[in-house]
Amino acid sequence: MEARDHELVKELDATLRARHELGTEYESALVESFLEKVGQRLDATVDRRVRRHLAERRMSEARGDARPERFGASFGERHGLAIITLVLAVPLSAISVVNAGIEGLFVTWGGIVGVNAVHAFRSRSPFGRREKATENPGSDWED
């Protein structure tokens, strides 16, 4: 357990002891006080992360890095639908040919192409783009 997490556990323990001593009539005030401390801690952590990110970006720009920072999906997220539809295309093609002939094959492949085209358009358009937060495998309170 990290030092900052330990401090938060101590704060929670103190709040619970105060609730036990003061009674339930002060419960909402104690909970609000504890949540305010957690909120301040969270705000400070977010501020540190934003400052660090901006400093890293400025350093990158000062060094003249040619590659801009990307906030995008990984290879699997970008191409996962295409891979899945191509894998499923074989059995879908066979089923459509057996049941509806060549017309069914064209309809099946039209659907596959259409789904992938819509996905590609959405991932490139500003309306379909979603930025992904960087994942931190450590504690949520770490920088």
Side-chain angles (χ1 to χ4, degrees):
M1 184 177 284
E2 297 204 17
R4 290 186 282 182
D5 291 341
H6 185 66
E7 291 172 12
L8 192 60
V9 169
K10 285 173 43 178
E11 279 291 331
L12 178 60
D13 187 47
T15 302
L16 292 175
R17 275 188 274 126
R19 181 202 177 267
H20 180 70
E21 292 173 8
L22 297 174
T24 57
E25 58 270 358
Y26 292 101
E27 183 174 335
S28 64
L30 291 169
V31 169
E32 286 177 21
S33 172
F34 178 74
L35 290 178
E36 183 177 323
K37 290 175 186 173
V38 171
Q40 290 171 351
R41 189 96 162 269
L42 183 60
D43 289 342
T45 302
V46 169
D47 287 344
R48 278 192 302 274
R49 286 182 182 177
V50 167
R51 282 194 305 270
R52 186 180 65 208
H53 176 74
L54 290 174
E56 288 172 356
R57 178 180 269 172
R58 284 188 208 122
M59 291 282 289
S60 176
E61 290 172 358
R63 284 190 304 246
D65 288 347
R67 292 188 303 176
E69 184 178 326
R70 286 193 41 184
F71 288 100
S74 67
F75 177 83
E77 291 171 325
R78 285 190 318 250
H79 302 291
L81 181 66
I83 292 168
I84 290 171
T85 54
L86 287 176
V87 167
L88 292 175
V90 173
L92 289 173
S93 297
I95 292 169
S96 63
V97 167
V98 167
N99 290 323
I102 194 74
E103 295 86 14
L105 182 65
F106 284 130
V107 169
T108 300
W109 275 93
I112 291 170
V113 170
V115 165
N116 282 292
V118 168
H119 177 70
F121 175 74
R122 286 196 61 197
S123 65
R124 285 186 176 83
S125 75
F127 302 110
R129 205 175 282 158
R130 290 176 290 187
E131 290 186 1
K132 181 180 175 184
T134 58
E135 295 181 21
N136 187 357
S139 170
D140 290 339
W141 298 104
E142 289 182 16
D143 293 325

